[in-house]
Each structure stands twice: as structure tokens, then as C-alpha cells.
Amino acid sequence: MSQQGYVAAPPYSQAQPGMGGYPAGFGSGPTQPMYGHYGGQPQAFSGPPTGMMKSPVSSAPGMPPPPVSSHYSPNVQQNGAHPQRYPAPPAPTAYGQPSQSTYHSMASQAPPPAQQLTNQMSAMNLGNYAPGPMQSPPPPTSSGAQQPFQMPALPGMGQPQMPPGPQSPQMSPQMSPPQSPPASMSMSGPPMAGSPMAGPPMAGPPMAGSQMAGPPMAGSQMAGPPMAGMGTPFPGPSPPGAGGFQQPGPGQGYPQQPGQFGGQMAGPQPGFPGAFPGGAGQMSGPPQKKRDPDSVPSTTQVIEDDQAKRGGQVYTTNLRGQVPPLVTTDFTVQDQGNASPRFVRCTTYSLPCTADLAKQCQVPLATIIKPFASVPKNETPLYVVNHGETGPIRCNRCKAYMCPYMQFIDGGRRYQCGFCTCVNEVPVFYFQHLDHMGRRVDFYEKPELSLGSYEFSATMDYCKNNKPPNPPAYIFMIDVSYTNIKSGLVKLVCDELKTLLDKLPREEGVESSAIKVGFVTYNKILHFYNVKSALAQPQMMVVSDTAEMFVPLLDGFLVNYQDSRAVIYNLLDQIPDMFADTNESETVFAPVIQAGVEAFKAAECSGKLFIFHSSIPTAEAPGKLKNRDDKKLVNTEKEKTLFQPVKGVYEQLSKDCVAQGCSVDLFLFPSQYLDMATMADVPSHTGGSVYKYNNFQVETDGEHFLRDLRKDVEKSIGFDAIMRVRTSTGFRATDFFGAIHMNNTTDVEMAAVDCDKAVTVELKHDDALSEEAGALIQCALLYTSVSGQRRLRIHNISLNCSSQLSELYKSCETDSLVNFFAKTAYRAILNQPLKSVREILVNQTAHMLACYRKNCASPSAASQHMQLILPDAMKVFPVYMNSLMKTAPLVGSTELSTDDRAHQRLSAMAMGVEDTQLWLYPRLIPLHNMESGSEAVPAPIRCSEERLADSGMFLLENGHSMFLWLGHASPPDLIQSIFNLPSLAHLPAHMSALPDLDNPQSKKVLSIINALLQKRPNSMKLQIVKQKDKPEMLFRQFLVEDKGLHGGASYMDFLCYVHREIRQLLT
């Protein structure tokens, strides 16, 4: 692989520790206050800084002193206690704005003449994305498969303009010439960096609102240079052995900067129409050349290409480090020694051999494990291996379970552990001879020797108190306060449970479920029901002392549904009538969960609580909450408190639940603020789920809620689980993200784990890895099955190791990387200002791509300074990162509900790779021109307003929301066939379901919608929106390639911004 021909500035050759990637998880932060200087005025310089110098090892103000030993030495603290991943930036005195930046303070500079602007636009050629027109013939799979993407080096605003050279010879023939829109067009957002619209004094990238000088999406009135001190992740080279940031001084490295800091940052200038986010004023001057959106990488194209190449095929897992098909591709897995990608995916399938390489490229190393993932009907379910009394065979030293990576030696009498290299004796009962290749002759008969995933029956040693567990139980707890009775919710739940309880999860091949059921209703007090099968009528017991919660009956509270069916039916009929005349509007909440835990303790079982609750718990009781929603905190240092749960009662409850194996699923029906951050705290630590239905109405939301409830009750699940991730020597698991609880640094505890929950595990080096041996990971999950058996589920995966960065980039998986970044960012906002978290996301994007360009791009491509070069496996990475920064939790907007933001943050923490992929890049399906005869679903199109047609009908879904968008010129016959109405004008407002009509179009649309509802983990409520109607605004926020409604760059602007950051890193 030919390496780069030019020398980088010193700061680039040694990556800075800590920039959002390497040295550390989000553990407890440094003791000094972080980001203290953020809100304050930037320190002004009397003269312009002239670049950077390696200063003595002092740390920047507001930073902890730099650690003395390397972050990676083997004797670094035990995992868990890591320095911050999102470290404090050095003080804003770091450096002036580089001359390349176009988002300059324009206070003192005249805008370039209009002619110059047009030149600049025509110079911005975007090379087409063939897999590497830049290099000689190697095939796209070669490590040099890059994506050239042409962008001129944009000069800063008042500097001499470069002539727009001839079109680059690499331009591919399919590229359409830049089109010129009508002159009157009002551009929403900078037509391109460098035009007068690039916002008056915004010293920041796309998306800054007025007077914002921060990175994309900075909040208002944040002064300071763009990402002061963080414009590049490397202020100064890192001294050997030290891990802190240094404070740069004048000296070597960067070119002389224009005097950015001397004067005050000016506010928007009156002379410039349309300050930054899509200003109103019409652009003056000659017609603009518009950048062609088809020239930038398309997510839908990448998905389509992978489906064409690998869809419908059998993926065998016999090779180490092979990259699986994308999560969006339909394929069949044949397990031949590594776990299926349905269970385990990685951010890269080729780990860098050393910590230094990892630090240099900043690509996070992580694995996303979904231990209970659903397996399609045509794939083999997991085998259960039973070794009887002796239990599973394990390595004596590291306790790894028998798996395909154990090497049998000595004629089969001993085996060497692949994880720690310890040599173990083979137990007598397990002995078997080896064949001529050194493999056991029973290799194919034993799942644990030939497969990547399998289960072991656990012995008593793996059970609590050394006795077998009881089957789990489900308790349904219904809030019968005034709002839930009046809305009809209580009756709806009771009616549904009559049929739903027949569908409780059960073991394969068993007639009925072993899960027991119980019922509680509550408002300010709790009512328990005795539904013993011998009774003619259910009996109610009331507990009014909510401070000392206990369960008033043991026998008859948790019962087998089949035995007590008649009594339960009777109870479910009576509940809505019993409370029909209630006036009680106050509720308790914590005592309800406490009651569930006590019931499971008394029955000595694990299980799940299904709580149906409507409002903030204000009744006098433990866990009483008050309204702490304060929009004034948005975009301030204290915004993070909106996401933090109220400490105390709920924290202790989470621990009690996990200890008992009690998972909590919460169905919320709020009409106002209810402190989601606190109420959802227990579900989010116990492997539970939270569902939210704002302003619930049975007519419009009933079916949507019931679909969620059915999925939730029926899904496959394990209880009282504990997971351990073991790795071969040289690296280890250091940090874990998910709906989990951790008492120590290695054991991931989950009160329950279902088929939709994933745990993202960050990996770090503690020594060098070898290319020959590769890297091995084993995830072992101990759990109680739905029938009450204790089992171990094992998933193994082997990865390659390489000292070539090009191998790492070639083996990256964008969808997994984005899952990791979403979770790390969402955890970081609990401790840091949103602005800092967004800056780190931008920086890391630029850093990963800059490292690729510097170390892996072919010299011919690298010499094209205009090109944005992206690795083939990461060419759509920027669109996902930009979309992530526009999600509700990361946008500082007072228009968004605090509860919705907290809900989205918590939901994302447990998502698997396919869920985050769809959530950050929704599917937009054109339905107006499909062939009603064929089975095929029309190919999705790019998520941008430009792709919608006035006469079209489009379905958009992201796994949580679903919209049917109708263009204002939709043909009447289309409206007639779908809605049975003569025209669009007759469509009623707030329609939430389509009629089932007897015509091919209607049938096809309904079948597409139903297939999606069945496939996704959550139900989605269909929202029908007409073009240019007010509700269309809701739909627009899902068009992730466009500018965000609440702030956020368009995909094109974000690419320009990242490109500029990369060039800055490389100069």
C-alpha cells in the first residue's frame, strides 16, 4: 500500500490522547470542574497568536494535571476507572482562527465581489464516488478504495481568490454539471462556505444560530472562536509518556493567523440579509451555481449496493475478521465458528496491533452484543449443551468457556486456552482422540467446538443460594387514577389482557407458559388481588401505608394463568367498574415498584413489572417528585441536570430490582411534564423499556399502544442475567453501555434481557496484539429462562489484528461506529455541556478521516488538496454523525419537550445496531408509482425535501415514528384508491389509519405498512400529513440530509465543514 508523500505538521504525527476517543471512558470525571471556562468570555489576545509550540508539560487551565504514566501502560488502573473520554478542551486561548476558515468574523472585511463568489462555486467540483477513480486498477476491495469528493480549498473571506482551475481530470463522466437555479431563489442556509451568506460573524461551522461561534449546533450567544481550543484535536504534540493537553504557545507549526481575537466578536451585521440559519433575505447578486447533491455519498445507494452484492446469500462465519453484510441487507447466517452478526457486531473487524496505532486513528474499538437477538425461522436455533453434574468446561486460569478457540494437544489429553494460553487437563469424561490435523474426531458433534454461539445448562453452582430458580412472573400494575379511568385506558388494558395472557413467552415445543401472573391497581394507595383458582370471586387487599411497602398475601397473588383463568377474567371485568366513579387524581410511583420487588422476594422468583401510569407522582410517599422542568436551563452549563435523575429513592430501587431480577417496563400516558429522566431511571437500569403516549386518546392511540403491549409481553426474554465479556491477552473490555447495572467493573447485571436489548462494549489495548494470533472475544450470559432453568449463553467472535491502518479502515462498520458514538455522546451529556459534546463528535469525525487521508490514501489522491477522501467502508459516516447531532437530546432548543429528549436519550442507550441505523437515517419510500402486482417494496430514496414530488405519496419510518406524506398535487385517483375520498381536500385532519379497501393499491400500501410494523421492535403510529400543512413540520425533522428544524447543518454543509477541519489538521 503506497503511503502518503507529504509530511504532516508535528501535532499530527503524534495523536493527542483523550480527544473523544482513546484513553478513556466516561467514568468519574477529573476532580477539578470541567469546562469551567466555557460559558465565560473567551480570553482576548492582545496580538494574534502565531501558531503553536510544544510547551512544557503543564496542563491547560481547567484541566486535571496530566497523568505521568502512559494511558496504555499495563499497570494503568483496573478497567472502569478511566479518565474522561470527553476531556476538557484546553483553554480558548489555544489558537486563532486558521486562515483557511471561511466562517470568519466579517466585521472588518468586505464580502468578496459577487463574481468571485461565482468562481468559487464553479470551482467546487464534487468528484463522483466510484470506488476509487483516483488510483490505478486495484479492485474496490483493495485497501485504497477511496471516495474522492472534490472540494476546493476555500480561501478565507478577504483573501485572494484562487482561480477556478479546469475540471479535474478524475471527474467521472456521469457527473452532471452544476446547475444554476433561478436568480430569485432564496437560499436556505449558506449556498456554500465562502458566500456572503456564510453568516456574518459566525466563527463556527454550519448551524450556528445568530451570535454563535460554536460547532454545528451551538446554542445562542456562545462567544469564542469556533471550538476554541478544540478546532483540532491536537493542540501541540503529546510529550512521550504524558497524557495531558499542553497549552500551545507562539512558535512553530501553523501559518500566521489573521488577528481574530483582538476585537470584539461582532453580532449580525445589519447590512447582511439573512443571518445564519436559513436567513430570510433574498440573496443579491448574480445567479448562484448550486452544489449537486447527487455527487455526495448516498446512504440509500450504499444500502442498495450491499443488498445487490450480498443479499439473499448465505453468510458463513468460518473466517476470522470477516466483515458481515450491512444490518439493512437480507441474508442467512450459517454458524461455522464465530457468532452470527445478529448477536455480535464490531466497529472494526481488524484491530490495530498497538495502542499507539489506535490512538493515531481514533477509530473507537467496540463490540455491540445483542445476546438474545431473534433468529429467523430458516436459521438453526441455539443448541443447549448439557454436561450433567460437572457443568460447562472452563479454563482454570481465565475461566473462559470451552469454545472453538481452544487448541487440543498431547493426543487430546490437554488443551491450550485461546484467551490466556494456559494449558489445562481435559476431564476424563470429555476426552476424545485427535485426527491427523490435530482436531478432535467429534469436532462436528459438539456445538461448543464447532459453533460461535450455543448454550450450556448451568449447574447449582450457578444458581442463587445453590438452589434451582422458580419460573419467573409478570405483574400488571394499573394506575386507576381519574385520568386513566376517564380516558378509557383502564378498560382497554383489562380487555386486552384477557386474550394477551394466552401468549406469554414459553419454551420451544411446550404447550403453555410457565410464567406466573399477578395484578395490582393503585392511585395514592395500592390494591392487591387474590386470584387463586379455588376462589369464586377475586379478593382485594389494600395497602395504604406506602412508606413501609409489603405484600399483604402470598398464596394466590402470583398464579398460573391457565389454572386461574376464570377468576382472572372476572377481575379484569370488575376493575374498570370498581373505580368508575373515582375522583382521585394523585398517584404514587416508587412504592408500586417496591411492591413488585417485595412480591418477587416472597415468591423467590425473578420477573417483570408492567406499569401503566399517567402523571408525575405527587402524592405523599417515597419517590414523590416535583416539576423541575426549566426551559431557562437549555443551552447553559446546567442543561445537563434536565437529563439527570433525582438521586435517592429511585437509585436504591434500581439496585433492589437488579438484585431480585425484577425488570420494569413502563407505559406512560402523560398530558404534561412527568420527569421522564427520573421515572425511567429504574427501567433503564433493569433491562426494561419505556413507552410514551402523549395526550393519549383511545380512538387515535389505542391500537398503537396495544401493538406495543403485545410485542412487549410476547417477546423472548431471559431473567436475572449477568454477563461477562472475556478477551484474549493484549486488550480488554473497559466500558459498557445499555439498560444495565454495574456493581463492579466487569459484571454487567441485567434484571432481564430481551431480544431487542443490546449492550455496547468498549475495548482498549493493554499490550500489543499479534497479527498471527488475532483477537478473541467471548461473551458469556448467565440467565434464567422463561421456564425457570438456569442457563449460560455463549457468543464467540474472532477478529484480525493489523499494523496497517488501511486494514482497519477497510474493515470498519459505519453502522456500529454510529451506535457507539450515539451511546457515548448520550452518556456524556449527563456531565458536560451539549456544545462540548457536539464539538467532540465533529472533531472525532474529522480526525478519523484525516488520519485515513494521511496514512491510507494513494499518493495521487492525497496530492489533490481539493478532494475530501473517504474510506469506502465509511463513506456515509458523516451523514449519520450529522444526523446524530440533530437528534433531540443533542439540540439545545427550548421548543423540544424535556421529557421527549430524556426519553429518546434513554431509549437509544439500549438500541442495537439496526435500530440506531434506522433511527438516524429513516426510510423514505415512494408509494405513488409502485407496481401493485409485484411483491417488491419500492426502493427507498434519500431523506431530503428535494426528493419529494408535489404529485407523490411517500411513507417515512424510523422505527419510532411513521408518516404518510401527500403532495398537494396528488392525483385524485390515487387519493380515491387509498382513502376512498374524491380528492385531497376531503381528507380529515388527524387521520391515523388507512381504510382497508378492495383494490390493488390499497392492499399493497397496507401490506407494506403492516410488514414494517411487524418487523420493528416498537409500534409506530401512522401520521398522515399534507404538503404545506402545519403538521408537515413534524415530518420535516426526519429529512436528515436537510438543515435541522431546531438547528443543525444540512449534510452538504456538514461535509464542507468537516472537509475544512480535515485540511486544517493536515496543514
Side-chain angles (χ1 to χ4, degrees):
M1 181 70 228
S2 48
Q3 292 302 317
Q4 205 66 345
Y6 61 94
V7 187
Y12 200 64
S13 46
Q14 290 161 286
Q16 224 23 36
M19 204 41 229
Y22 246 75
F26 288 131
S28 49
T31 43
Q32 283 169 291
M34 293 192 56
Y35 295 104
H37 53 264
Y38 243 96
Q41 281 298 313
Q43 293 140 309
F45 258 30
S46 45
T50 44
M52 324 200 36
M53 186 173 78
K54 190 164 172 178
S55 67
V57 186
S58 65
S59 49
M63 282 287 289
V68 188
S69 71
S70 150
H71 278 305
Y72 290 93
S73 56
N75 58 0
V76 84
Q77 332 86 305
Q78 241 330 94
N79 49 11
H82 292 292
Q84 290 288 52
R85 154 177 296 90
Y86 283 359
T93 52
Y95 36 78
Q97 204 164 339
S99 52
Q100 292 290 51
S101 171
T102 28
Y103 285 79
H104 253 328
S105 164
M106 302 197 316
S108 56
Q109 294 150 330
Q115 179 48 47
Q116 217 170 295
L117 179 65
T118 322
N119 292 352
Q120 227 170 310
M121 298 217 167
S122 50
M124 183 172 257
N125 293 326
L126 304 173
N128 195 53
Y129 268 63
M134 289 300 206
Q135 76 249 40
S136 43
T141 46
S142 84
S143 48
Q146 300 120 12
Q147 302 299 335
F149 168 59
Q150 194 142 319
M151 289 214 177
L154 298 169
M157 285 257 165
Q159 278 137 11
Q161 172 72 44
M162 298 185 333
Q167 242 194 359
S168 121
Q170 277 91 8
M171 290 247 332
S172 98
Q174 306 102 287
M175 156 113 186
S176 55
Q179 300 133 358
S180 141
S184 66
M185 169 153 172
S186 114
M187 292 291 215
S188 62
M192 65 192 343
S195 75
M197 261 199 76
M202 316 277 172
M207 253 215 67
S210 61
Q211 299 160 340
M212 308 202 187
M217 307 196 42
S220 58
Q221 293 148 351
M222 306 246 183
M227 321 188 153
M230 296 184 72
T232 69
F234 330 91
S238 154
F245 281 113
Q246 291 80 47
Q247 191 158 2
Q252 73 202 98
Y254 285 82
Q256 172 80 30
Q257 317 291 350
Q260 241 332 72
F261 287 113
Q264 198 50 37
M265 288 289 239
Q269 297 295 319
F272 291 100
F276 209 153
Q282 300 281 0
M283 292 272 311
S284 50
Q288 313 295 326
K289 293 263 190 354
K290 196 163 185 259
R291 285 173 291 175
D292 176 16
D294 286 326
S295 60
V296 294
S298 152
T299 304
T300 47
Q301 193 59 52
V302 167
I303 290 172
E304 233 171 274
D305 292 349
D306 197 71
Q307 176 65 37
K309 194 167 117 194
R310 308 183 73 171
Q313 299 186 3
V314 174
Y315 173 75
T316 52
T317 67
N318 53 352
L319 294 176
R320 183 177 86 189
Q322 67 176 333
V323 183
L326 297 181
V327 282
T328 43
T329 299
D330 293 314
F331 58 99
T332 305
V333 181
Q334 192 174 22
D335 185 341
Q336 293 191 357
N338 284 296
S340 157
R342 302 189 202 290
F343 296 120
V344 184
R345 282 187 177 264
C346 300
T347 53
T348 176
Y349 294 84
S350 181
L351 301 185
C353 281
T354 64
D356 285 345
L357 270 179
K359 205 191 303 186
Q360 190 182 334
C361 69
Q362 297 240 336
V363 173
L365 308 179
T367 173
I368 296 98
I369 303 171
K370 208 186 216 187
F372 260 78
S374 309
V375 172
K377 296 267 186 287
N378 60 348
E379 290 176 22
T380 325
L382 299 193
Y383 289 99
V384 181
V385 178
N386 190 344
H387 286 318
E389 293 295 298
T390 52
I393 294 169
R394 307 176 67 176
C395 169
N396 291 328
R397 185 198 288 163
C398 70
K399 301 291 181 232
Y401 293 86
M402 179 54 71
C403 68
Y405 316 138
M406 303 297 190
Q407 184 65 46
F408 287 86
I409 51 176
D410 247 7
R413 284 187 291 280
R414 300 196 299 167
Y415 68 92
Q416 182 169 28
C417 172
F419 294 88
C420 69
T421 68
C422 172
V423 174
N424 298 272
E425 297 290 327
V426 172
V428 177
F429 83 93
Y430 199 68
F431 172 78
Q432 187 52 272
H433 295 285
L434 307 186
D435 64 13
H436 62 287
M437 289 163 62
R439 269 207 315 209
R440 286 174 53 122
V441 295
D442 61 357
F443 176 79
Y444 288 110
E445 292 156 33
K446 295 209 176 297
E448 73 273 27
L449 300 181
S450 54
L451 299 179
S453 301
Y454 43 87
E455 295 199 316
F456 286 116
S457 292
T459 54
M460 286 307 125
D461 303 343
Y462 294 90
C463 302
K464 271 187 188 160
N465 313 326
N466 282 11
K467 57 186 211 183
N470 290 315
Y474 281 0
I475 304 178
F476 297 89
M477 312 180 102
I478 307 169
D479 159 4
V480 289
S481 63
Y482 179 81
T483 34
N484 280 358
I485 293 289
K486 283 290 164 280
S487 72
L489 175 73
V490 174
K491 183 164 175 28
L492 188 69
V493 172
C494 291
D495 288 347
E496 178 63 29
L497 287 177
K498 292 177 192 170
T499 50
L500 188 54
L501 294 176
D502 273 323
K503 302 194 180 89
L504 294 171
R506 54 178 193 252
E507 294 282 340
E508 285 289 313
V510 180
E511 276 200 11
S512 65
S513 174
I515 294 175
K516 298 248 188 344
V517 293
F519 303 88
V520 172
T521 54
Y522 67 95
N523 39 43
K524 274 195 337 198
I525 57 178
L526 279 78
H527 324 108
F528 294 79
Y529 297 93
N530 183 344
V531 284
K532 202 157 63 172
S533 56
L535 296 172
Q537 282 287 332
Q539 295 170 346
M540 180 205 261
M541 308 241 182
V542 177
V543 177
S544 50
D545 179 6
T546 49
E548 294 292 319
M549 190 35 72
F550 69 99
V551 177
L553 75 162
L554 283 182
D555 188 30
F557 178 58
L558 295 177
V559 298
N560 181 303
Y561 172 65
Q562 301 300 341
D563 301 345
S564 298
R565 182 189 288 261
V567 193
I568 291 172
Y569 259 50
N570 206 328
L571 170 68
L572 294 172
D573 281 335
Q574 289 178 31
I575 288 175
D577 300 337
M578 253 190 296
F579 299 98
D581 303 324
T582 186
N583 290 321
E584 187 52 75
S585 58
E586 284 196 310
T587 55
V588 295
F589 183 62
V592 180
I593 299 177
Q594 192 66 53
V597 175
E598 296 302 328
F600 290 150
K601 265 188 196 154
E604 295 184 359
C605 70
S606 52
K608 177 169 270 203
L609 310 179
F610 295 81
I611 303 179
F612 305 89
H613 187 92
S614 63
S615 56
I616 190 166
T618 51
E620 279 308 322
K624 173 184 175 179
L625 296 174
K626 56 179 188 292
N627 187 338
R628 58 192 186 103
D629 186 17
D630 185 355
K631 290 288 198 279
K632 289 198 286 294
L633 299 181
V634 173
N635 284 322
T636 69
E637 282 288 312
K638 291 196 172 143
E639 181 167 8
K640 54 182 180 246
T641 59
L642 297 175
F643 295 112
Q644 295 166 354
V646 174
K647 293 273 187 286
V649 175
Y650 292 98
E651 221 172 355
Q652 187 53 47
L653 258 184
S654 290
K655 290 178 183 159
D656 296 348
C657 284
V658 170
Q660 188 53 47
C662 165
S663 174
V664 179
D665 278 358
L666 192 49
F667 293 82
L668 293 169
F669 306 87
S671 53
Q672 55 204 33
Y673 174 81
L674 47 61
D675 196 354
M676 174 66 80
T678 305
M679 293 190 72
D681 191 47
V682 176
S684 68
H685 284 95
T686 58
S689 306
V690 180
Y691 302 89
K692 182 163 177 275
Y693 311 90
N694 296 341
N695 304 313
F696 177 82
Q697 292 179 323
V698 170
E699 302 71 46
T700 51
D701 307 283
E703 201 42 50
H704 167 46
F705 152 64
L706 292 178
R707 275 196 302 261
D708 272 333
L709 178 59
R710 288 169 199 145
K711 274 180 191 277
D712 199 48
V713 169
E714 295 170 25
K715 61 186 165 190
S716 60
I717 186 167
F719 297 92
D720 200 10
I722 185 160
M723 182 173 100
R724 176 74 72 91
V725 177
R726 293 183 173 81
T727 54
S728 50
T729 48
F731 74 118
R732 63 201 162 100
T734 58
D735 212 344
F736 302 87
F737 304 84
I740 56 174
H741 175 76
M742 298 204 67
N743 261 334
N744 55 35
T745 57
T746 54
D747 295 331
V748 179
E749 296 182 58
M750 294 174 277
V753 53
D754 65 50
C755 56
D756 300 321
K757 299 286 182 294
V759 179
T760 299
V761 183
E762 187 172 15
L763 308 165
K764 292 265 164 74
H765 287 78
D766 44 22
D767 205 349
L769 299 170
S770 95
E771 298 203 14
E772 297 75 64
L776 310 176
I777 301 171
Q778 182 179 78
C779 157
L781 178 85
L782 174 65
Y783 72 97
T784 301
S785 74
V786 288
S787 59
Q789 295 175 358
R790 205 70 178 142
R791 290 205 188 140
L792 281 150
R793 179 169 284 218
I794 314 292
H795 295 300
N796 303 289
I797 189 166
S798 57
L799 306 175
N800 286 334
C801 298
S802 174
S803 50
Q804 297 296 318
L805 283 176
S806 54
E807 284 301 309
L808 174 137
Y809 281 103
K810 200 167 75 175
S811 307
C812 270
E813 186 168 83
T814 289
D815 299 329
S816 295
L817 282 167
V818 175
N819 176 283
F820 175 83
F821 281 118
K823 293 187 183 187
T824 50
Y826 278 7
R827 181 184 291 177
I829 61 178
L830 291 176
N831 307 308
Q832 285 169 56
L834 294 186
K835 182 170 185 282
S836 320
V837 175
R838 290 192 301 256
E839 278 170 10
I840 287 156
L841 290 171
V842 176
N843 272 315
Q844 197 149 1
T845 304
H847 195 128
M848 287 157 68
L849 298 174
C851 176
Y852 175 77
R853 179 180 186 127
K854 178 173 180 276
N855 298 292
C856 312
S858 62
S860 62
S863 61
Q864 295 281 331
H865 195 52
M866 311 291 181
Q867 299 282 6
L868 172 57
I869 301 171
L870 301 164
D872 202 44
M874 286 172 68
K875 63 186 174 193
V876 289
F877 179 65
V879 80
Y880 286 108
M881 288 299 267
N882 187 38
S883 177
L884 172 61
M885 292 196 298
K886 293 189 281 191
T887 55
L890 288 175
V891 179
S893 166
T894 50
E895 290 170 33
L896 294 164
S897 121
T898 303
D899 277 343
D900 285 349
R901 296 175 73 197
H903 183 216
Q904 200 173 74
R905 188 189 85 77
L906 291 166
S907 305
M909 293 309 276
M911 282 186 191
V913 180
E914 53 276 50
D915 305 330
T916 44
Q917 185 279 328
L918 183 65
W919 164 61
L920 293 171
Y921 200 92
R923 289 182 55 174
L924 181 58
I925 306 170
L927 297 180
H928 45 279
N929 48 12
M930 57 181 183
E931 297 167 30
S932 44
S934 82
E935 287 290 296
V937 176
I941 56 168
R942 296 174 72 158
C943 287
S944 168
E945 196 186 339
E946 296 182 333
R947 310 282 161 173
L948 302 173
D950 292 350
S951 60
M953 177 169 78
F954 296 85
L955 183 73
L956 180 142
E957 60 103 16
N958 72 345
H960 299 269
S961 305
M962 182 184 270
F963 292 89
L964 186 64
W965 182 92
L966 302 163
H968 60 71
S970 300
D973 56 339
L974 180 69
I975 300 297
Q976 181 68 51
S977 61
I978 302 297
F979 297 97
N980 202 17
L981 294 168
S983 76
L984 196 56
H986 292 76
L987 197 68
H990 307 302
M991 191 171 171
S992 61
L994 297 179
D996 190 348
L997 305 175
D998 192 14
N999 69 62
Q1001 273 99 337
S1002 172
K1003 286 189 166 13
K1004 178 82 191 253
V1005 170
L1006 286 171
S1007 83
I1008 290 175
I1009 291 174
N1010 292 332
L1012 289 173
L1013 289 174
Q1014 204 175 342
K1015 193 173 171 185
R1016 307 294 177 224
N1018 292 352
S1019 160
M1020 296 175 278
K1021 176 183 171 183
L1022 180 66
Q1023 298 174 66
I1024 296 168
V1025 296
K1026 291 190 269 193
Q1027 185 177 7
K1028 302 206 165 79
D1029 266 16
K1030 202 175 171 198
E1032 196 200 12
M1033 291 305 279
L1034 280 174
F1035 166 81
R1036 293 242 171 144
Q1037 61 193 3
F1038 295 99
L1039 300 177
V1040 296
E1041 292 197 16
D1042 300 342
K1043 290 182 76 129
L1045 283 189
H1046 304 287
S1050 69
Y1051 174 30
M1052 189 69 98
D1053 289 339
F1054 182 70
L1055 271 181
C1056 294
Y1057 185 71
V1058 167
H1059 186 214
R1060 207 160 39 241
E1061 288 285 294
I1062 292 170
R1063 285 208 315 272
Q1064 206 173 302
L1065 289 174
L1066 294 177
T1067 42

